[in-house]
Amino acid sequence: MTISKTKTSVGLLLTALVFITGCNSACNKQSHQWHPLFKGNAENGNYQMKVVNSNDYDGNFSLEDIYEFDGKDIRVLYNWQADSAPYAVLATKKQYSNYDLKFQYKWGTRKFKPRLEAKRDAGLLLHIHEYRQDSWPRCIECQVQEGDTCDIWLIGSNAVCLTESGEPVKFDNPDAPFKNGRRYKLNESEDWTEVLVEVRGDSAKYYVNGMLVNRFQSSSKMDESNSKLDSGYIGLQAESAEITYRNVMIRKTKP
């Protein structure tokens, strides 16, 4: 039987298309899987610690003194012995732009100076684009605080924060270096609370235990360029209170 070159070419083309389609499907499935955000250890991990303010503590300390990795948990300040604790950020060494990120958190019992009388406070920092001395890095924060989780804090950055009905939030001082976007509803737990952020370049949505509580769009850098802010490093705050973060997972998404 004679097989034409045309039929042979068509058959090879169909085989190639099936192979490419299968590869693309597998690759897309793999890229949309959840992965731990922080991997490795202090020496060879994909993260680093940035000290923001010593808070008058003049002793030596290492990353492990503030951030203790225990399997899936990241315990913050549980090993700290002094009355005053530095502010610090556990930050990725890689920048991210389009992703979903989720974690659970639970408060410990101890607090430290200078926030002994204040609410327990921490936070997730997105789009970190400039580290500064004696101040939190320029970024956009997803607040983690007693009674205020998923508030939006614009730290040396700009964005349009939206109300529940989709209207822009008007700030009293739009040029202030720290701006707070209001929360829609309180939906935290007394035990473990789950936070999910959906980041799509210069916009994001914040969820607490499955409920949408805040969102922003059109984020930009607060500098002379006022350039678009659609990527950056990711960090977890240590802010003078014991807290455990667990199951800190990320998955990349399309824009």
Side-chain angles (χ1 to χ4, degrees):
M1 180 175 64
T2 303
I3 301 176
S4 68
K5 292 182 178 179
T6 301
K7 290 183 177 179
T8 302
S9 299
V10 171
L12 291 173
L13 178 60
L14 290 173
T15 301
L17 287 173
V18 170
F19 175 79
I20 292 172
T21 301
C23 179
N24 286 339
S25 177
C27 292
N28 288 334
K29 184 177 181 181
Q30 185 176 10
S31 66
H32 286 78
Q33 291 178 343
W34 291 98
H35 300 281
L37 179 63
F38 300 104
K39 294 181 290 187
N41 54 45
E43 287 73 31
N44 59 20
N46 66 342
Y47 54 85
Q48 57 188 330
M49 183 176 70
K50 295 289 187 178
V51 178
V52 175
N53 194 316
S54 66
N55 290 332
D56 296 327
Y57 179 78
D58 57 3
N60 296 322
F61 59 91
S62 64
L63 185 152
E64 293 92 338
D65 294 324
I66 296 181
Y67 294 94
E68 176 192 0
F69 286 76
D70 180 18
K72 63 182 179 181
D73 297 341
I74 302 174
R75 291 161 48 89
V76 180
L77 293 173
Y78 280 82
N79 288 327
W80 195 256
Q81 300 302 317
D83 294 333
S84 176
Y87 291 160
V89 179
L90 182 71
T92 62
K93 295 179 180 178
K94 178 182 177 181
Q95 298 191 50
Y96 296 84
S97 182
N98 296 284
Y99 57 91
D100 296 335
L101 191 152
K102 64 181 180 179
F103 64 93
Q104 295 92 38
Y105 72 87
K106 183 178 181 180
W107 297 111
T109 57
R110 295 189 304 159
K111 296 189 291 185
F112 306 90
K113 297 177 182 178
R115 295 185 57 87
L116 278 175
E117 305 303 323
K119 294 180 180 180
R120 289 178 175 84
D121 196 4
L124 170 70
L125 305 185
L126 314 172
H127 289 351
I128 298 172
H129 55 280
E130 182 183 341
Y131 292 106
R132 300 178 289 178
Q133 187 174 6
D134 295 329
S135 183
W136 294 108
R138 295 182 186 270
C139 63
I140 299 178
E141 180 180 351
C142 173
Q143 175 74 291
V144 174
Q145 182 174 264
E146 292 178 299
D148 301 298
T149 290
C150 279
D151 272 5
I152 297 172
W153 277 96
L154 303 177
I155 306 175
S157 305
N158 288 313
V160 178
C161 299
L162 302 175
T163 65
E164 196 167 10
S165 61
E167 296 297 320
V169 174
K170 295 182 179 180
F171 296 106
D172 293 334
N173 185 357
D175 296 325
F178 294 87
K179 295 187 288 292
N180 179 217
R182 63 177 289 277
R183 160 181 39 81
Y184 304 160
K185 294 179 181 178
L186 180 64
N187 196 42
E188 300 164 49
S189 302
E190 293 183 0
D191 192 29
W192 290 98
T193 296
E194 180 167 286
V195 173
L196 168 68
V197 295
E198 297 176 342
V199 180
R200 302 295 182 268
D202 64 346
S203 65
K205 295 179 179 180
Y206 297 176
Y207 298 82
V208 178
N209 291 329
M211 177 183 289
L212 176 65
V213 297
N214 240 327
R215 53 181 169 153
F216 69 82
Q217 63 187 28
S218 304
S219 57
S220 61
K221 298 179 181 179
M222 185 183 284
D223 55 21
E224 293 181 358
S225 70
N226 198 33
S227 57
K228 190 176 187 178
L229 179 57
D230 58 3
S231 65
Y233 304 102
I234 303 172
L236 292 176
Q237 288 179 312
E239 197 168 355
S240 298
E242 290 180 338
I243 185 173
T244 300
Y245 302 103
R246 74 176 183 185
N247 297 327
V248 185
M249 307 291 287
I250 190 170
R251 65 180 177 188
K252 295 181 180 180
T253 64
K254 294 182 179 180

